Amino acid sequence: MKLHHLPRNPANLIMKLGFCSRVSPIKYQGISCLKQWDRTFMSELLDRRWALACPDTKIHQVKLEINELQQQSEENETSVGYSFLNDTRPSLGYEMMKERQGLSFYVVRDDLLHPLVNGNKARKLDGLLPLVEDCFVTDVVTCGGCQSAHAAAVAVSCAERGLASHLLLRGEQPDIPTGYNLITTMYGNAIYVPRSRYAKREEMLSGHAALVAGYTGSVIWFSDILNESITTQKSKEVNSVPILSKSVISGSNAENHQRKVVVINEGAGDFAGLLGFIRLVEYLSQDHIFGKKQPLKIVIDCGTGTTAVGLGLGAICFGLPWEIIGVMLADTVEGYRKQEKRLISDFKSFCCSQNLDQSLSGDNDSIVQWVDRMNPRKFGNVLKGEIETCQKIAQQSGILLDPVYTLAAWEQATRLCRIEASSSCKGDTKIVMLHTGGTLGMFGLAQRYKSSFHALKKAY
């Protein structure tokens, strides 16, 4: 497996991020910590309205038992047979630090946040939706694939807040809607767009937003809301994050517009999508959960990479000895690093008013360790064996994974367990997997790959 390593010195990374006017890390027992005024800055950053009432999430511990009859050599470690035991009330905090983890890892159950809006989609919308509401928007336009978890999350969240959502879905309308496609259709206005038109996303989104707004309405991109807030912040030379008003949308004439439409990019991969993950880091770093001194390796399956970057920024801002490992599933390492630099640059612009450095550059200046999938396969090509693996994990642990995304993170966490258990560190570093949700996508996969799911039937 190919690894793309990153420097392990959080203090250096903090300075490279350009927080020289705010962040001055000090060392305490080998761990980078923030001074009191730095903690004040983070409190100001997170002092805002959120979509989620609280950042709480359940944490389980999965213990692995190796089937000795199936053990393979180290070169074939991915073929080792495991059985899984799920501890839904593991020891955390100080008790967790005292015990050796062994063959086990922790699962942050963000898939349980909401029955329909869960995982990283809920975290992305956590900081984004309140900004939209502050602008007194009436309609939201976004796009995604036919089984887009993002589109479904936006549809449900908007309906819960009295907003109309318009979801442009790539491809043909299925005969029978299932999974995320069904949820999107039930909660929002689903419009199916030919793939040739969908390829020009900006033109497609702008055109439909203008159609929704009509002659008397107004249209704004969510990125413009962020840019306006940055400009306002710098012009006032304040250090706190501003609260937006409806004047951001269309000036003093906002009241005269009947429809106010905001366009959100596919996947909500904007700066505001990082805030929910930074809030999650703050929650997880509490003393009674993972704490601030326990070294962690946090594994995430990555589509756009926003989740991994958000966790990485949170770990750095709070001075935590955490390593973020992003399993690449939709792009090359160059593509993920480009996205990482863009998000970091946006974060610096939004949160700092002076003494900004250039965005990160160079192969080693990364806050995420990007890794390839353990069992390489064509993206989206679901195989019978992977579906059966998800079935086995669900039956043994009660945790449902999907064979494309979250299974990749599970496999990586399992591998790291073996490495940590056999290392000279004696299991000091704990392995954590963030469950990014996506389980409703299983219905769509079953519809598309009927023969593979048909194989789950058992003959008696």
Side-chain angles (χ1 to χ4, degrees):
M1 184 180 65
K2 186 177 179 182
L3 301 179
H4 307 280
H5 295 286
L6 74 163
R8 296 299 304 275
N9 190 334
N12 289 342
L13 281 175
I14 289 174
M15 300 310 294
K16 288 177 181 179
L17 282 174
F19 297 142
C20 43
S21 64
R22 295 182 178 276
V23 178
S24 178
I26 58 176
K27 292 289 183 177
Y28 176 72
Q29 295 182 351
I31 299 172
S32 181
C33 303
L34 298 182
K35 294 180 180 179
Q36 178 61 45
W37 42 276
D38 299 320
R39 291 195 292 269
T40 300
F41 160 63
M42 293 307 300
S43 296
E44 291 176 349
L45 177 67
L46 299 178
D47 183 17
R48 59 177 61 245
R49 288 196 308 116
W50 299 96
L52 295 173
C54 63
D56 300 18
T57 186
K58 295 184 182 297
I59 298 174
H60 293 178
Q61 184 178 16
V62 176
K63 299 179 181 179
L64 286 64
E65 294 182 359
I66 300 179
N67 184 339
E68 295 182 0
L69 296 178
Q70 297 184 44
Q71 288 193 50
Q72 307 292 326
S73 66
E74 187 66 25
E75 290 75 15
N76 296 318
E77 61 176 295
T78 59
S79 301
V80 174
Y82 296 107
S83 58
F84 304 97
L85 178 64
N86 184 6
D87 182 357
T88 61
R89 293 188 174 182
S91 298
L92 297 173
Y94 181 67
E95 294 299 320
M96 178 193 72
M97 294 182 65
K98 289 194 304 182
E99 68 178 25
R100 181 178 179 183
Q101 183 169 338
L103 282 176
S104 70
F105 61 94
Y106 295 88
V107 181
V108 177
R109 298 297 307 273
D110 266 10
D111 57 315
L112 304 178
L113 287 177
H114 184 285
L116 300 175
V117 184
N118 54 43
N120 61 342
K121 306 308 177 188
R123 297 293 180 185
K124 285 182 179 181
L125 296 179
D126 196 15
L128 185 152
L129 281 176
L131 294 177
V132 170
E133 289 182 293
D134 285 341
C135 290
F136 297 91
V137 164
T138 61
D139 298 78
V140 174
V141 174
T142 190
C143 63
C146 183
Q147 287 290 345
S148 169
H150 162 72
V154 170
V156 174
S157 299
C158 285
E160 291 177 342
R161 290 160 175 78
L163 303 176
S165 62
H166 309 267
L167 302 314
L168 306 180
L169 305 181
R170 180 183 62 250
E172 301 74 28
Q173 180 175 359
D175 293 335
I176 301 176
T178 62
Y180 287 116
N181 180 254
L182 174 60
I183 298 303
T184 301
T185 303
M186 294 296 292
Y187 283 85
N189 301 298
I191 302 98
Y192 296 88
V193 179
R195 298 175 187 274
S196 57
R197 184 184 171 210
Y198 192 93
K200 302 176 181 179
R201 287 172 178 74
E202 184 172 343
E203 177 182 322
M204 173 192 70
L205 288 167
S206 296
H208 193 77
L211 183 65
V212 172
Y215 291 108
T216 60
S218 61
V219 176
I220 188 172
W221 286 71
F222 183 76
S223 57
D224 292 332
I225 296 177
L226 291 178
N227 291 336
E228 179 67 24
S229 65
I230 292 172
T231 302
T232 302
Q233 179 186 11
K234 288 182 177 180
S235 64
K236 293 182 178 180
E237 296 183 353
V238 296
N239 292 328
S240 60
V241 177
I243 299 296
L244 299 173
S245 66
K246 62 183 177 182
S247 62
V248 171
I249 287 188
S250 54
S252 59
N253 295 323
E255 298 84 353
N256 298 325
H257 291 131
Q258 295 181 0
R259 305 288 289 272
K260 302 186 179 85
V261 185
V262 65
V263 179
I264 298 176
N265 280 322
E266 183 178 19
D270 294 298
F271 158 76
L274 302 173
L275 296 174
F277 299 110
I278 297 175
R279 186 189 187 201
L280 174 61
V281 169
E282 181 188 42
Y283 169 78
L284 295 176
S285 64
Q286 295 179 92
D287 292 340
H288 67 284
I289 304 180
F290 291 140
K292 299 177 177 60
K293 300 178 182 179
Q294 172 61 55
L296 300 179
K297 290 186 177 180
I298 303 181
V299 183
I300 313 102
D301 53 277
C302 295
T304 64
T306 305
T307 301
V309 174
L311 292 175
L313 283 170
I316 288 174
C317 288
F318 287 104
L320 304 173
W322 296 3
E323 182 178 354
I324 310 302
I325 300 173
V327 183
M328 302 182 295
L329 299 175
D331 204 345
T332 63
V333 64
E334 291 78 15
Y336 279 106
R337 284 178 174 162
K338 181 178 180 181
Q339 166 77 337
E340 177 185 353
K341 290 179 181 180
R342 181 184 70 82
L343 290 171
I344 289 172
S345 177
D346 291 345
F347 182 78
K348 289 162 51 180
S349 297
F350 192 75
C351 298
C352 301
S353 59
Q354 56 184 347
N355 295 330
L356 293 176
D357 293 340
Q358 296 294 323
S359 59
L360 289 175
S361 61
D363 291 339
N364 293 323
D365 292 331
S366 178
I367 62 176
V368 177
Q369 179 176 325
W370 303 106
V371 303
D372 296 315
R373 187 169 196 151
M374 285 182 57
N375 300 316
R377 68 209 76 179
K378 184 178 179 181
F379 179 72
N381 184 21
V382 182
L383 303 177
K384 172 187 172 184
E386 294 150 351
I387 298 169
E388 290 179 340
T389 299
C390 291
Q391 180 188 40
K392 171 187 173 183
I393 294 170
Q395 292 176 351
Q396 292 181 355
S397 69
I399 298 176
L400 182 60
L401 308 173
D402 78 90
V404 177
Y405 285 95
T406 49
L407 178 60
W410 184 283
E411 291 172 336
Q412 182 66 30
T414 301
R415 173 184 178 273
L416 291 175
C417 280
R418 295 193 69 199
I419 294 175
E420 291 298 324
S422 61
S423 71
S424 58
C425 297
K426 303 298 182 183
D428 289 342
T429 299
K430 310 297 185 185
I431 309 302
V432 178
M433 170 193 161
L434 175 63
H435 196 314
T436 55
T439 49
L440 274 178
M442 291 285 282
F443 295 92
L445 291 173
Q447 182 185 54
R448 182 177 180 183
Y449 300 97
K450 296 179 181 179
S451 60
S452 296
F453 280 84
H454 182 76
L456 294 178
K457 285 186 176 181
K458 296 191 178 192
Y460 293 96

